[in-house]
Amino acid sequence: MKKTHNKKTSPIKILRSYRNTIADFLSKKQDFISHIPSLSLRYLWRFDKKQWKNFAKLNGYGLVFGLCFSAWLYAFVFIIEGFGGFSEDSSVWANMFFCALLSVFGLISVASYLFCPARIRFYFGFFVGLLLLYWIALSFRYSPFPFLIPFVWLGIGCIIGAIFWALLYFQHIVFRIFSIMILGYIHPFGFDWLVPQSFFAYSFFGVLDWDFLLIVVGVALIAMALFKNDIKGFLYVSTKSKKSFIKLRIGAGFFGVLSLIFAFESVSPANKKPTPFLQNLSNDLNQQITKEQIALVQTHFVQDLKWNKNARDSIKKSTFSAIEQARLEGKKIIILPETILPIVLNSDNPYEVSTLESLKNASNDIAIILGAFSKPNFNSTYVIHKGEVKILNKVILAPFGEKMPLPDFLAKPLLRLFFGIEEGLDSASKPQDFHLFGLIFRNAICYEGTSKELYKD
């Protein structure tokens, strides 16, 4: 008998095998987790080794798709923090490059949703919830129970996972297109912070529903053109005629690209930088103030110190010092952060009364905009100018930190347990505006600046 010898596989053969595997996947459109059997909770609880391996694989695939869906946000943060992108100091060409990059990540996000295998849809949604909405739990850092943060993360992941489980139940591409279009209108507990249209806010594409529909259809058609066989459930075409099948793919690709072109934002990409109202003041022919006359103050108070009553005087002193400094520099408006004064500023307490009076006196030469609480139980913006005070209350409250996103019979006991209070904050019924120097401003505090409700009119 001939002896068999184990020969080491050459690196070239390994690379070829990987190339063939990838080519096989692209050409045959294989479901790459089809070999994983459905999980059985009964055997999972019995610590069946095979079931736990399958569970780990499903989570791994869910994490990969979740990262693809969420990558645009982390790319955006990296561009802003790492390169100062979309700022006044950023060049036009740099902004165009950043727009192109975020456009690509946005398209990848849409593709990951449209073609996510149905079997991992819950795991996909679970990691999307963690990657995009993890910050909801961070308010527990300032409660007596910071160890609850992982449990809140788990709850957030399960809620978004359940939503994705329903929306991605069918793999038919028409159903997927419909489901991603309604995703932004599903608001768990009233919070609208998962809106896929917003993924393209800093891209070459528009953000209206019509633009987003064109983007989604374009991605679906281009994917149909790139894969040899038809996209599952999208269109059945006989492949007997190779020539007609090639024409079909070319046509799908052409209309896919055309759909994306129609979704392009009409504004020049060079203007795709943050353009808040204040940045355009110098272009207003009737303006009475320039952005250089506005002081934006950042503070860095440690949270544990800020909410300590013994620290009120030092915070108050720092606030008035910043106001005086801005006045000496010739500023006409000073804007200080949310709850810079951690007190009910309009209460009848002598300390609050004297503080508000001091702010009125300081507002003769400069308009003061700052955050504090107001009666009966609001997180508010105070606009103080020439002794006049206008109070604008927050509309969209942050979950857990300001409002327990649960029915009252559950929320009240949890507020007592976690934060030692009987009630969460109240919210205003609608967004509010204020006037300064002949201009109209919309009040938005913290995360409500990301809510669609603040921009209705």
Side-chain angles (χ1 to χ4, degrees):
M1 293 181 66
K2 294 182 180 179
K3 292 183 179 181
T4 57
H5 299 281
N6 292 329
K7 295 182 179 179
K8 291 184 178 180
T9 307
S10 68
I12 295 177
K13 288 185 177 181
I14 293 174
L15 289 173
R16 283 177 179 171
S17 67
Y18 277 115
R19 183 197 64 186
N20 294 336
T21 301
I22 294 170
D24 188 53
F25 168 68
L26 291 174
S27 62
K28 295 184 178 180
K29 193 176 49 52
Q30 292 178 335
D31 181 352
F32 54 84
I33 63 166
S34 60
H35 64 283
I36 301 178
S38 300
L39 288 178
S40 169
L41 291 178
R42 181 178 64 176
Y43 289 105
L44 197 65
W45 286 117
R46 290 181 182 178
F47 295 98
D48 181 276
K49 190 175 181 181
K50 184 178 179 182
Q51 290 293 318
W52 277 99
K53 282 184 177 179
N54 292 337
F55 181 67
K57 288 180 180 179
L58 288 169
N59 275 281
Y61 289 129
L63 175 60
V64 170
F65 273 80
L67 287 169
C68 290
F69 189 82
S70 311
W72 68 271
L73 175 62
Y74 295 90
F76 174 73
V77 173
F78 185 70
I79 287 169
I80 296 295
E81 298 294 336
F83 296 97
F86 306 113
S87 67
E88 293 184 340
D89 298 327
S90 184
S91 70
V92 171
W93 292 107
N95 284 337
M96 291 182 69
F97 173 75
F98 296 144
C99 281
L101 191 63
L102 292 175
S103 300
V104 171
F105 277 112
L107 296 177
I108 291 172
S109 178
V110 170
S112 67
Y113 182 95
L114 292 179
F115 305 114
C116 171
R119 190 168 295 172
I120 65 168
R121 61 191 185 276
F122 174 82
Y123 308 93
F124 174 36
F126 180 86
F127 285 106
V128 167
L130 291 187
L131 291 166
L132 292 183
L133 301 174
Y134 69 91
W135 52 267
I136 292 175
L138 297 183
S139 58
F140 277 90
R141 290 177 297 176
Y142 310 115
S143 78
F145 307 99
F147 60 85
L148 289 175
I149 290 176
F151 295 99
V152 178
W153 283 338
L154 183 64
I156 293 168
C158 287
I159 290 169
I160 303 301
I163 292 171
F164 275 52
W165 183 90
L167 292 180
L168 297 172
Y169 191 85
F170 300 107
Q171 287 199 198
H172 195 293
I173 196 68
V174 175
F175 180 82
R176 293 287 177 90
I177 291 172
F178 170 76
S179 68
I180 196 173
M181 291 302 300
I182 66 172
L183 176 60
Y185 295 93
I186 299 173
H187 306 154
F189 305 110
F191 301 114
D192 58 343
W193 289 323
L194 184 55
V195 183
Q197 289 90 326
S198 66
F199 298 1
F200 296 94
Y202 290 86
S203 74
F204 286 116
F205 300 106
V207 294
L208 299 178
D209 287 344
W210 179 251
D211 296 317
F212 189 60
L213 178 61
L214 289 170
I215 292 169
V216 173
V217 171
V219 170
L221 289 172
I222 290 172
M224 181 183 174
L226 292 177
F227 286 82
K228 262 191 177 179
N229 291 351
D230 57 296
I231 295 297
K232 188 173 184 179
F234 184 66
L235 185 64
Y236 178 78
V237 179
S238 173
T239 57
K240 289 181 180 179
S241 173
K242 188 175 181 181
K243 189 175 181 180
S244 62
F245 187 61
I246 292 173
K247 286 182 179 179
L248 173 70
R249 291 176 62 195
I250 293 173
F254 172 77
F255 284 107
V257 172
L258 195 63
S259 183
L260 293 182
I261 291 173
F262 280 125
F264 272 21
E265 178 63 72
S266 59
V267 180
S268 168
N271 295 325
K272 278 293 193 174
K273 63 173 76 173
T275 54
F277 192 55
L278 299 181
Q279 288 192 359
N280 292 327
L281 292 179
S282 58
N283 298 324
D284 189 339
L285 296 177
N286 299 317
Q287 59 86 21
Q288 300 177 36
I289 188 171
T290 63
K291 60 187 176 181
E292 288 77 17
Q293 293 173 307
I294 299 172
L296 297 174
V297 178
Q298 292 185 349
T299 57
H300 303 280
F301 295 115
V302 178
Q303 289 293 318
D304 293 337
L305 172 66
K306 180 175 180 178
W307 301 106
N308 188 325
K309 288 186 177 181
N310 296 326
R312 290 190 308 178
D313 288 336
S314 62
I315 293 172
K316 178 179 175 180
K317 182 179 178 181
S318 175
T319 300
F320 278 92
S321 176
I323 293 170
E324 180 61 17
Q325 180 64 31
R327 189 187 67 82
L328 292 174
E329 292 175 0
K331 306 292 186 181
K332 288 190 175 182
I333 298 177
I334 180 171
I335 304 174
L336 295 117
E338 175 190 15
T339 60
I340 179 67
L341 296 176
I343 56 176
V344 182
L345 188 54
N346 66 338
S347 75
D348 298 327
N349 184 290
Y351 183 86
E352 280 78 5
V353 170
S354 66
T355 302
L356 186 55
E357 286 300 319
S358 298
L359 287 168
K360 288 180 181 179
N361 295 332
S363 68
N364 290 324
D365 299 322
I366 186 171
I368 302 168
I369 303 173
L370 56 78
F373 295 110
S374 66
K375 295 188 299 184
N377 195 21
F378 290 104
N379 183 359
S380 305
T381 296
Y382 284 76
V383 181
I384 309 168
H385 190 216
K386 296 191 180 299
E388 298 290 330
V389 180
K390 184 174 179 62
I391 302 174
L392 306 102
N393 300 320
K394 194 170 184 179
V395 179
I396 309 296
L397 301 180
F400 299 107
E402 295 177 322
K403 176 184 177 182
M404 195 65 69
L406 296 168
D408 284 346
F409 74 93
L410 291 174
K412 289 183 178 181
L414 292 175
L415 284 169
R416 284 195 296 268
L417 176 63
F418 296 147
F419 301 101
I421 56 177
E422 293 294 324
E423 299 280 349
L425 292 173
D426 297 324
S427 60
S429 58
K430 61 181 181 179
Q432 299 164 300
D433 300 330
F434 63 91
H435 296 74
L436 270 180
F437 300 101
L439 300 170
I440 303 173
F441 296 87
R442 168 61 49 89
N443 179 58
I445 301 174
C446 195
Y447 284 109
E448 61 176 1
T450 68
S451 177
K452 188 175 182 178
E453 184 176 347
L454 269 291
Y455 303 90
K456 281 182 178 178
D457 55 355

